[in-house]
């Protein structure tokens, strides 16, 4: 069993390696196709200015100011109901909020169109739903209705996108039969095709076992190194946060503390929230 | 129309084909059942079964409003009312103020009751009782033409927007992040359901229209592993129950709509039984 696992991971590594080499040789074409492998330049920044959300008379979050750079993993932590998911939804533009989100290229200080990738906590599907991974993926990247013909070209493209996250063998599985970790990898692949400027991951680690978590954070690391994007992750697992985050934001209606994990974890605010 | 009749007679040299009403009914079935099989897939995926049922009930109010305003074409009043009703219900459903099944139930009861109150003025509701059970044998060529238009509209919508509709049904936030106009797609879909339900309700009946919308898709889910199979099975089950139900109702002298629903339900149980074999 263990051997098989090893074999699997080494084979997918070689796939990633191949794409890497091809990426270098024929970079222009590949980038046009998938915008693959463009290491972070560190020169894009996303600024959130005074974000606030009120629902009815209740203030969910207020005065949230954040500054995020490409190539960095920013993790939002906080107790339940602190407004973490609300902040994500505000950035997505799904709920009305005050304040602004701007995306700048530091080289010429121009404001650019921010493309957001989103990995949701879960999908709205019931048991038995006849949606395969192919169907789901194709729905976002193709206009040819997925209830008609299955296109081989599209399937190849999807397979190659999935293979970056070790999910290529899932392409014909039904979404409702996937484990938490498998679904997570599929959702990551979808969020990263086309490669976004900002990747939002909403508590993606619930319902996943230890191995799944390791793989998830390995994937995050891989993204950080090879892609020109910034990441915001909402997480509960402080062990992993300490190991992988570049910057931590402690949220409770507003930003209580921010900085490198070690600094935030040692602060008074952290102790007050997590006791 | 005459040409179509003659082709049908030539293709189906059976006794029942002698009657024009049977020819019309068969054509109606061939238009309505693919339509229902198609949109039923996403009604079930989006958990709109209860919603489409409520829409069916709003036909009573739509009819009543038409009668009050003295509109000669009741269908038009019904469609307009149902479209408004669907958009309103959808708005409330997404506002998250009240649990959505509660909202839908409140509106379904209200529209049924309001319709019944108005239509029973002077103790004459029996005139409208055909609306409850439906009468596919009374359909006329002009109405068939309307159904054909709806079928074409539905096919165009499915062809142009299915992937977006599918994406929205999986996760609205994710669809939003992919720049899909979530609210627009969702509203267009419920408007389509409203138009389909209203233009077929007189032939199928309020009491069973939802069975015909839901059952073929529900059966297809038991067997399908992807969207292509889902649509194929749903269409096949829908058309099959429609044709068989119509013929059986002719020979057994029973109401056609309910007969179709019974067959669709039997098919559903059959798929439940064979499901373990198919899935393994």
């Amino acid at each position: 069993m263990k051997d098989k696992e090893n074999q699997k991971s080494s084979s997918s590594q070689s796939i990633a390696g191949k794409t890497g080499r091809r990426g270098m040789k024929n970079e222009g074409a590949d980038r046009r196709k998938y915008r693959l492998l463009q290491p972070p330049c560190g020169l894009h920044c996303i600024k959130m200015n005074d974000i606030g959300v009120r629902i009815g008379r209740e203030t969910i979050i207020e005065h949230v100011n954040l500054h995020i750079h490409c190539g960095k993993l920013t993790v939002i932590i906080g107790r339940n109901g602190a407004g973490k998911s609300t902040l994500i939804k505000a950035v997505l533009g799904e709920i009305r909020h005050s304040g602004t989100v701007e995306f700048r290229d530091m080289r010429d200080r121009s404001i650019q169109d921010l493309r957001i990738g989103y990995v949701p906590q879960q999908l709205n599907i019931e048991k038995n739903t006849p949606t395969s991974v192919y169907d789901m993926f194709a729905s976002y990247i193709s206009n040819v209705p997925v209830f008609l013909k299955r296109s081989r070209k599209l399937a190849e493209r999807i397979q190659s996108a999935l293979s970056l996250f070790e999910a290529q063998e899932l392409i014909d599985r039904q979404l409702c039969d996937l484990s938490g970790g498998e679904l997570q990898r599929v959702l990551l692949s979808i969020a990263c095709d086309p490669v976004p400027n900002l990747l939002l991951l909403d508590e993606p680690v619930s319902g996943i076992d230890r191995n799944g978590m390791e793989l998830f954070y390995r994937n995050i690391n891989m993204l950080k190194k090879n892609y020109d994007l910034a990441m915001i992750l909402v997480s509960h697992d402080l062990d992993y946060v300490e190991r992988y985050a570049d910057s931590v934001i402690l949220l409770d209606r507003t930003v209580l503390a921010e900085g490198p994990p070690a600094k935030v974890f040692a602060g008074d605010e952290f102790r007050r929230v997590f006791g | 129309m005459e040409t179509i009749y003659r082709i049908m007679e030539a293709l189906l040299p059976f006794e029942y084909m002698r009657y024009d009403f049977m020819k019309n009914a068969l054509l109606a079935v061939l238009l309505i059942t693919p339509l229902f099989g198609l949109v039923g897939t996403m009604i079930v995926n989006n958990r709109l079964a209860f919603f489409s049922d409520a829409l069916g009930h709003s036909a009573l109010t739509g009819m009543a409003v038409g009668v009050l305003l003295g509109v000669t074409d009741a269908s038009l009043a019904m469609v307009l009312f149902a479209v408004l009703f669907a958009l309103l219900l959808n708005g409330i459903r997404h506002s998250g103020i009240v649990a959505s099944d509660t909202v839908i139930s409140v509106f379904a009861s209200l529209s049924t009751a309001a319709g019944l109150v108005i239509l029973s003025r002077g103790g004459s509701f029996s005139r409208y009782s055909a609306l409850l059970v439906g009468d596919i044998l009374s359909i006329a060529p002009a109405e068939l033409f309307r159904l054909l238009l709806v079928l074409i509209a539905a096919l165009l919508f499915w062809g142009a927007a299915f992937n977006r509709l599918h994406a929205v049904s999986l996760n609205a936030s994710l669809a939003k992040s992919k720049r899909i106009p979530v609210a627009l797609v969702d509203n267009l879909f419920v408007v389509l359901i409203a138009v389909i339900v209203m233009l077929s309700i007189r032939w199928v009946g309020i009491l069973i229209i939802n069975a015909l919308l839901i059952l073929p898709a529900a059966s297809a889910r038991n067997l399908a592993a992807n969207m292509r199979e889902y649509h194929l099975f749903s269409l096949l089950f829908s058309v099959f129950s429609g044709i068989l139900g119509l013929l059986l109702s002719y020979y057994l002298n029973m109401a056609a709509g309910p007969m179709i629903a019974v067959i669709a339900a039997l098919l559903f149980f059959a798929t439940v039984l064979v499901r373990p074999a198919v899935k393994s």
Side-chain angles (χ1 to χ4, degrees), chain A residues 244-258:
Chain A
Y244 288 97
D246 296 301
S247 160
V248 174
I249 284 157
L250 177 59
L251 193 77
D252 191 4
R253 220 166 69 153
T254 188
V255 178
L256 295 183
E258 65 176 305

Side-chain angles (χ1 to χ4, degrees), chain A residues 24-36:
Chain A
M24 268 178 238
K25 226 189 279 170
N26 196 2
E27 213 173 349
D30 252 3
R31 205 181 292 169
R32 263 198 308 284
K33 250 191 196 157
Y34 313 121
R35 277 196 58 207
L36 271 180

Side-chain angles (χ1 to χ4, degrees), chain B residues 95-270:
Chain B
S95 70
I97 303 167
V98 201
S100 94
D101 54 346
T102 314
V103 183
I104 293 173
S105 185
V106 167
F107 276 88
S109 326
L110 174 64
S111 61
T112 311
L116 288 174
V117 164
I118 300 168
L119 293 175
S120 62
R121 260 192 332 175
S124 61
F125 180 74
S126 53
R127 268 199 294 159
Y128 304 104
S129 60
L131 204 56
L132 295 179
V133 197
D135 184 8
I136 203 163
L137 300 182
S138 67
I139 195 165
E143 290 145 350
L144 283 172
F145 185 65
R146 265 189 206 164
L147 285 177
L148 177 66
L149 289 184
V150 190
L151 177 61
I152 292 170
L155 287 173
L156 287 177
F157 179 70
W158 233 242
F162 180 80
N163 285 3
R164 295 185 188 96
L165 186 63
H166 184 226
V168 171
S169 90
L170 290 170
N171 186 299
S173 308
L174 178 53
K176 180 101 191 171
S177 79
K178 298 283 184 184
R179 300 183 178 176
I180 292 169
V182 174
L184 176 68
V185 170
D186 195 46
N187 280 329
L188 280 175
F189 182 50
V190 296
V191 165
L192 179 69
I193 302 174
V195 174
I196 290 172
V197 167
M198 284 310 126
L199 289 186
S200 28
I201 204 144
R202 274 201 285 161
W203 327 118
V204 181
I206 291 173
L207 294 178
I208 47 166
I209 192 158
N210 217 41
L212 302 188
L213 272 174
I214 305 305
L215 281 169
S219 314
R221 286 167 87 85
N222 288 330
L223 308 179
N226 56 49
M227 278 293 142
R228 292 173 302 289
E229 292 176 7
Y230 188 26
H231 278 76
L232 178 69
F233 291 141
S234 181
L235 281 171
L236 283 179
F237 289 148
S238 186
V239 175
F240 176 79
S241 0
I243 295 174
L244 188 62
L246 179 65
L247 297 186
L248 279 181
S249 77
Y250 173 82
Y251 286 113
L252 302 174
N253 199 19
M254 292 169 174
M259 184 60 89
I260 297 173
V262 167
I263 289 168
L266 290 177
L267 271 176
F268 174 75
F269 290 117

Side-chain angles (χ1 to χ4, degrees), chain A residues 39 133 205 234 254:
Chain A
V133 171
V205 283
V234 170
T254 188

Side-chain angles (χ1 to χ4, degrees), chain B residues 79-97:
Chain B
V79 168
L80 282 177
F81 183 79
V83 166
L84 290 176
F85 187 77
L87 290 174
L88 175 74
L89 217 53
N90 212 25
I92 298 175
R93 202 164 68 90
H94 289 300
S95 70
I97 303 167

